[in-house]
Structure formats: C-alpha cells, structure tokens
Amino acid sequence: MEPERKRSHTALTAGMASCLLLFTLAGGLYFTRYLQNRIFEERTTQLNEITAQVQVNLSNALDAHWNYLTAAVNLLESGAPETEEDAVSCIAVLEGLLGMEEYSSKLMLLDSRGNSYDAEGRNGVWTGIDQISGGAARQTFISGSYLGRGSSWTFVRKLDAPLVTEEDGTVFTHAVLLKDVYTMSRYYDSDAYGSRNETYILKSNGTRMHDNVSGEGSTIQAYNVLKVLEEMEQQACPDIRAALEETDTVSAGFRHGGREYYYCVTSLAEYDTLLLFLIPAEFVASGTVRMVNTVVYTLVGLGVVVLALSLLAVAAMTRRRNSA
C-alpha cells in the first residue's frame, strides 16, 4: 500500500502543478491579448483625435480660400470688363486688393476655349482644364506634379452666368484661385509627433495629390496610395474605400519592412479629398505602452515567483506526507 500511496501523492502533486501552470499560462495569454487590444484602442483613439484636428485646420483653410475666391468673383462681375485687357487689369487690381501675392496666391479667369488669363495677360490653354470638364459648379484639387514645386491648391468656381466682354466678345466661364501647396502645409501637419509623422493628401479614389513627409522619406511611394495601403502585411482593414462609405474616419495598423505602423484616413467629402495620417507604432501613445509594458513585466515576475513558491510548497507537503 505504501508505494501506491506514494505514487498517488506524486501524481496528485504533478496534477496540481500542471493545473496551476496551465491556469497561469491561460491567464497570461488572456491578459496579454486584453492589453494588446487596449493598446490598439488607445493608439487609434489618439491618432483619430490628432487627425480630426488636422482635418478641421485644413477644412477651415480651404473654406477661407473659397471665401477669397467668392469675393474676387463678386468684385469682378461688378466691374463688367469690356475687353480682355480690362479683365486682365481687373485681375491685377483684385490680387493687390486681396493681398494675394503676400500669401502666394494667384487669380485666373478661364474662357470658353480653356484659355487662362492672369494679371500678366493671356497664357493659352490651362493645363488643368481636363479636371474641370465635368462641369461641376465648385471644384477643389491640387494641380501640377506632386513631385515638383509647381504644385498648387486649386479652387475652381464656375460663374453663375458667363462674363462676356462687349468689345471683343470673349466669354469667361470660370474663376480660378491658385495657392502654393507648400504654404498650406501648416494646416495639414501636426507637431504631436515631431517629424516622425507622414501626411498624404489624396483624391477620393486614393491617388496621391501631395504629401508632407520629413525624415527618412515616404513610407508609401506609389501613386495610388490607398491600393498599396490595403495590400500591406497584417493590414487590419483590407478595403479602406468600402469602410469610408460607412464612416468618415478609418484607423488601423499594418507592417512594412519589418516595422509596425498605424494610420488614420479621413474624408473631406465636400472637397473630394482624403487625408491620410501615418506614423510608426512606437511613437503612438508611447507613454501608455511603456506603462503597460512595465505592468506586464511586473505581473509576469510576480507570477513566476508565486508559481515557484506554490510548487515548492506542494513539494514540501508531499515529502512530509511521504516521510510520515
């Protein structure tokens, strides 16, 4: 009987130790997953808040430029130019009146043939004429190559009624305000992450119009930014455009080049524009992540100590029974 009793005690000790170990591992896995979810929520929440503020800044800036263009159109229509030269003179006067040169802005008129007129005269067919061929009353986009310094925020307003000069019969159909894209960068940048964040201005179809990136350069080099973003490794939102149809803002993470990133895409529907804010994960909610890691390491250490003491206690009880 004595050997059988010893074997029973040994089996009981091993069973208790195994159960305790399995319980500790299961609890640790559950707690780790829970903390990872909380970290993800904290990071996306912080990113949403910052992106929302950037969106407000950019929307306010775009609204202000539309107000400038509306004021210019009203003044131009009240002037009733009789010739092309009068229209050019009116543009020059309006630019001085509204202080456009000081703010790196430029005013233009387009005629029915697509020719552009600025303060210096007629310039031939405007390069952005194809983008306004749809006939919308108001359009906002970035014209020129996004790789070059010639890019401009472009505000196009179709005149309520064509402006026709009496002497030469030129028919003006659109007024255009151009704003140097780099002078607008402060409206869609954020100091929250220093120079570590990347901001992309996209058309609603996901193609790149402009980016504001410092440091190591753009993480996404492609022209169709959303398409590439959707195909990234461990992408939590594989169909961003479908998600944007249900909500104005999408936040998720992905891995690229062995590094984890978080991003937030928000829609400026009234301007047919998307704003993408992207940053490496280690810079998002870094204080919270450090605090959570400290708690996890402390709990793991305490768990190991408690497990070791429990196993020693069980072993001591088993030896005592065996010796008895």
Side-chain angles (χ1 to χ4, degrees):
M1 291 294 294
E2 190 66 26
E4 291 182 3
R5 185 179 301 173
K6 289 183 177 181
R7 283 196 296 270
S8 297
H9 287 163
T10 302
L12 178 62
T13 302
M16 292 178 62
S18 299
C19 290
L20 184 60
L21 182 60
L22 288 173
F23 177 79
T24 302
L25 289 175
L29 289 174
Y30 173 80
F31 186 64
T32 300
R33 190 175 295 110
Y34 172 81
L35 289 178
Q36 288 175 342
N37 291 335
R38 297 288 79 78
I39 289 174
F40 177 81
E41 290 181 4
E42 175 66 21
R43 281 173 162 169
T44 54
T45 298
Q46 185 182 110
L47 202 55
N48 284 345
E49 291 174 352
I50 292 173
T51 306
Q53 185 58 55
V54 173
Q55 180 190 30
V56 169
N57 293 342
L58 181 56
S59 293
N60 290 340
L62 296 178
D63 289 343
H65 284 81
W66 268 111
N67 292 337
Y68 262 87
L69 182 56
T70 299
V73 169
N74 291 338
L75 292 171
L76 186 64
E77 290 177 338
S78 65
E82 297 183 355
T83 63
E84 289 184 6
E85 289 73 17
D86 289 344
V88 168
S89 299
C90 285
I91 292 173
V93 170
L94 288 174
E95 286 187 347
L97 204 65
L98 298 174
M100 290 187 174
E101 184 176 356
E102 180 182 353
Y103 297 102
S104 301
S105 301
K106 184 177 182 179
L107 184 64
M108 293 195 317
L109 284 174
L110 303 180
D111 66 20
S112 56
R113 297 181 179 180
N115 295 310
S116 62
Y117 300 76
D118 59 17
E120 297 177 358
R122 180 174 172 176
N123 299 300
V125 177
W126 182 45
T127 55
I129 194 65
D130 290 340
Q131 299 193 57
I132 65 170
S133 58
R138 289 180 24 147
Q139 289 181 262
T140 306
F141 53 89
I142 295 179
S143 62
S145 170
Y146 70 87
L147 296 174
R149 282 271 170 181
S151 301
S152 301
W153 274 99
T154 305
F155 307 84
V156 183
R157 174 176 168 176
K158 185 177 181 180
L159 301 180
D160 296 333
L163 188 62
V164 183
T165 58
E166 293 184 4
E167 291 190 13
D168 47 32
T170 302
V171 181
F172 295 107
T173 58
H174 294 78
V176 181
L177 176 63
L178 301 176
K179 173 76 173 182
D180 184 355
V181 71
Y182 289 93
T183 64
M184 292 272 283
S185 61
R186 67 181 184 276
Y187 296 112
Y188 42 81
D189 195 8
S190 173
D191 295 330
Y193 301 112
S195 60
R196 303 178 182 96
N197 56 274
E198 303 175 21
T199 305
Y200 298 81
I201 309 295
L202 314 175
K203 294 180 182 178
S204 58
N205 62 5
T207 55
R208 181 194 308 248
M209 291 195 293
H210 177 67
D211 62 57
N212 189 40
V213 180
S214 56
E216 300 176 359
S218 301
T219 300
I220 302 176
Q221 300 286 343
Y223 176 61
N224 195 323
V225 175
L226 278 197
K227 185 177 185 298
V228 173
L229 191 59
E230 290 170 345
E231 296 173 352
M232 286 292 187
E233 180 185 356
Q234 297 182 15
Q235 167 61 264
C237 184
D239 195 343
I240 298 173
R241 277 163 283 204
L244 285 171
E245 293 178 0
E246 300 178 1
T247 179
D248 289 337
T249 303
V250 174
S251 297
F254 65 91
R255 295 191 68 84
H256 175 65
R259 194 176 192 182
E260 185 181 9
Y261 291 85
Y262 276 76
Y263 69 87
C264 182
V265 181
T266 187
S267 173
L268 286 77
E270 64 273 28
Y271 295 112
D272 195 35
T273 297
L274 298 178
L275 177 66
L276 168 63
F277 200 73
L278 185 150
I279 187 168
E282 62 265 28
F283 301 116
V284 186
S286 54
T288 301
V289 174
R290 282 195 297 269
M291 181 183 69
V292 169
N293 287 339
T294 301
V295 171
V296 169
Y297 295 148
T298 302
L299 291 177
V300 169
L302 289 175
V304 170
V305 172
V306 170
L307 180 61
L309 291 175
S310 299
L311 292 175
L312 289 174
V314 171
M317 291 174 60
T318 302
R319 282 196 299 270
R320 192 178 297 116
R321 287 176 180 175
N322 291 338
S323 61

